Amino acid sequence: MLKNEKQFKTEVSCYRNLIYREYSARFNRRYSLHALKCLCLQANYKYKKVWEKTSSKNITSEYGRIYFDNYTNVYGGYGKGNKPKHLYSLTSHKIENALTCTARTEEIGLAHNGEKDCLICVTKDNKELMRVHLTSGKILQQIYLSPVYKFRDISWNESQSSIVIRSTKSHGSHRQTDIVKVLAVFDVKPLQFVGMMEIKKKEFGTNTVDAGLCQGVLITMHQQSVVKMYSFQHVLDMYKTGTYKLDDVIDDDGHRLGHRPIGLKFNIQIKECPPVLFSVSCYDQIVEFSNKPFHYLYSPVKTPEYFEVHSLENKSLIENGRLQTGILDYANDRYRATFWDDDSGRVLHIATSVVSFYDLTMVPSQENGKRILKKSFEMNLSKEKSKEEFPFTSTGRKVSKPKRQDSVNTVSNMTIYNVDYEDELDIICVTAVYDCSDEPKGVVCFYDNKTGTLLKEIDIEEPSSEINEHRTLIDLDTIIQINKLWSGTFHCNVYRLTSDESDKQEVNNKPGRKISRTYHRTRNR
């Protein structure tokens, strides 16, 4: 017998999604994710801690893999007891930074040239851009960058399509000339050289302090918190001097592109400042843009106590377009505002204990498409001690209610660390830590992405009360928690989705014959 009607509907929905998956090959992946979402939200399924590990060096995680010791040791997959297993080690190179490049099966061509899932790394010791097989750790490709400039930062220009690596500011050549940055751009799948260019003060202004590339837009940062943007495609059309492929001979001495001793070649020579597409003066030089209808969000220099949403068409402040920044708590990064990751154009605002979502809705009385910022819903994570009345017996004895195992601790002091979007499950994931008198208590909350309804609460362990950084990553059936303590030590916990029935069977079985029924997901890439 099922306990209640709600549980019955949830299990029927999960069963129906599994049936649809079997009979429809076209929507196989979608129905698989719907079925997994039903399992994640069922009351008899919970996330259980299966593994933990500490390190004196930085720990990062992406696409379900965990990288220890600056990408030296890689863990992932499912081992004994559903623990992550050691996949491989990259001890032959010192890696500065890396990106994970993946592709679904339907995106890979028949020739299969360079589309394998890989880790694209920037190495420190030999100044190379290295492509490593994501599963085996085999080095697939090595590109020598430059004998003069040092590169450390790597980021996406366009996600899973194009990357940009940036030189460091501390190199001697930067101090001797007016060079602000050197940018090298590559296409991925397969890895191909697009171009390398110098950002100089002579062309972009003497007050230029930094530069980058994002979404096909060249961005320069200037003194007095000014940000300017240019079309990278215009730069390629006007200032690209030649097209080169990796391994091509680039001089009379037979030197090849991407090989020692030359490395990459400067094939983009900017001789004048390109046309400025957009310019704004913003606090901390941070500005964000939404998709259609196009708006931008930033904190003005003159009024840093507000986030403001402006129309990109005329730069005007939209109605109700101001949100508090909590400038007094800005050093703790407690107040944040950004456009939400699901490309809906909504604005996410994170205060000390409240997470709010705002919609850019059209004003009914306006015919020119004018927008207004209107609150859609909010999620209040502050759990003040409740004033509920406890029942009493006829003798006056108070009857205490049993506390749920997955409930949030009722304390007033708390901090919101992460608000993330799990796109494959279409849920909002919020991570918060409550400061108890004895030890901190962490919680991960799942909310519906459309309505903000609380779907599930999960208790997570906090290794210490002295936490400097806190990161939580949700990857379908896995929760990865990474903490940095004030002592400089990094701590990692891994939680897997499991059912209550599997826990009961593990207790009933004899030692050495435990049966685990943790749900294993398969991802079609």
Side-chain angles (χ1 to χ4, degrees), residues 118-295:
C118 62
L119 193 69
I120 304 178
C121 316
V122 177
T123 62
K124 179 180 180 181
D125 48 354
N126 48 14
K127 300 181 181 180
E128 289 183 341
L129 185 67
M130 185 170 63
R131 195 162 62 92
V132 180
H133 194 278
L134 197 59
T135 303
S136 64
K138 179 183 177 181
I139 297 178
L140 303 175
Q141 193 173 4
Q142 290 177 277
I143 301 170
Y144 181 64
L145 297 176
S146 172
V148 179
Y149 299 101
K150 294 181 180 180
F151 293 90
R152 178 176 299 175
D153 180 70
I154 179 173
S155 59
W156 290 111
N157 172 30
E158 296 180 4
S159 180
Q160 301 297 327
S161 177
S162 173
I163 62 172
V164 56
I165 56 176
R166 305 192 308 159
S167 63
T168 61
K169 293 181 179 180
S170 59
H171 197 269
S173 298
H174 286 222
R175 296 192 296 266
Q176 296 170 5
T177 66
D178 64 342
I179 299 175
V180 177
K181 280 286 181 181
V182 173
L183 305 180
V185 185
F186 293 83
D187 286 335
V188 298
K189 303 175 187 177
L191 192 63
Q192 296 178 342
F193 177 66
V194 175
M196 188 164 70
M197 59 185 175
E198 296 174 329
I199 305 300
K200 298 181 179 181
K201 295 181 179 180
K202 180 181 178 181
E203 289 80 23
F204 291 91
T206 56
N207 61 349
T208 308
V209 295
D210 203 356
L213 188 65
C214 182
Q215 296 295 321
V217 177
L218 177 62
I219 306 171
T220 58
M221 279 70 78
H222 304 259
Q223 296 176 359
Q224 299 178 351
S225 301
V226 176
V227 177
K228 295 182 180 181
M229 302 182 184
Y230 316 85
S231 171
F232 181 61
Q233 186 60 46
H234 176 81
V235 172
L236 291 177
D237 295 339
M238 296 297 297
Y239 308 112
K240 191 172 182 179
T241 59
T243 301
Y244 300 94
K245 294 183 179 180
L246 295 173
D247 300 329
D248 282 355
V249 178
I250 56 177
D251 58 17
D252 297 335
D253 297 330
H255 295 140
R256 296 183 178 273
L257 186 73
H259 292 262
R260 298 178 184 273
I262 302 298
L264 301 179
K265 181 180 179 64
F266 285 100
N267 63 336
I268 303 175
Q269 304 288 341
I270 302 178
K271 299 179 180 180
E272 59 184 0
C273 184
V276 179
L277 298 179
F278 182 80
S279 178
V280 65
S281 179
C282 50
Y283 191 74
D284 272 3
Q285 297 178 329
I286 299 175
V287 58
E288 294 190 12
F289 293 84
S290 70
N291 56 0
K292 193 175 182 180
F294 301 107
H295 291 76

Side-chain angles (χ1 to χ4, degrees), residues 372-510:
I372 181 175
L373 195 65
K374 184 178 180 180
K375 180 179 287 189
S376 176
F377 55 85
E378 70 176 23
M379 299 167 287
N380 193 337
L381 279 80
S382 63
K383 300 292 181 179
E384 301 291 344
K385 294 184 178 180
S386 59
K387 299 179 180 180
E388 58 182 336
E389 296 181 359
F390 291 91
F392 292 87
T393 63
S394 57
T395 60
R397 183 177 62 85
K398 182 174 68 173
V399 179
S400 300
K401 295 182 179 180
K403 184 179 178 181
R404 286 175 49 195
Q405 195 172 15
D406 60 346
S407 63
V408 182
N409 298 284
T410 55
V411 295
S412 56
N413 297 327
M414 55 84 63
T415 304
I416 299 174
Y417 281 99
N418 304 103
V419 180
D420 299 311
Y421 175 58
E422 171 52 64
D423 57 342
E424 294 176 305
L425 300 181
D426 194 30
I427 58 176
I428 305 169
C429 308
V430 182
T431 305
V433 175
Y434 295 83
D435 299 324
C436 301
S437 57
D438 50 352
E439 61 180 6
K441 300 293 183 181
V443 63
V444 176
C445 300
F446 291 168
Y447 295 89
D448 185 83
N449 187 44
K450 300 297 188 297
T451 64
T453 304
L454 179 63
L455 303 175
K456 194 180 188 69
E457 296 177 353
I458 306 160
D459 284 337
I460 58 176
E461 297 180 9
E462 295 298 325
S464 172
S465 59
E466 299 179 352
I467 298 176
N468 185 19
E469 296 179 6
H470 190 293
R471 288 170 290 165
T472 303
L473 301 100
I474 315 296
D475 186 24
L476 296 179
D477 66 330
T478 304
I479 297 179
I480 300 175
Q481 175 194 11
I482 301 174
N483 293 327
K484 180 182 179 181
L485 309 182
W486 284 107
S487 60
T489 304
F490 291 85
H491 189 94
C492 177
N493 291 334
V494 176
Y495 299 80
R496 300 284 198 192
L497 184 66
T498 184
S499 66
D500 293 338
E501 294 181 0
S502 63
D503 291 341
K504 293 178 181 179
Q505 286 196 344
E506 287 184 358
V507 174
N508 295 332
N509 282 288
K510 295 180 180 180

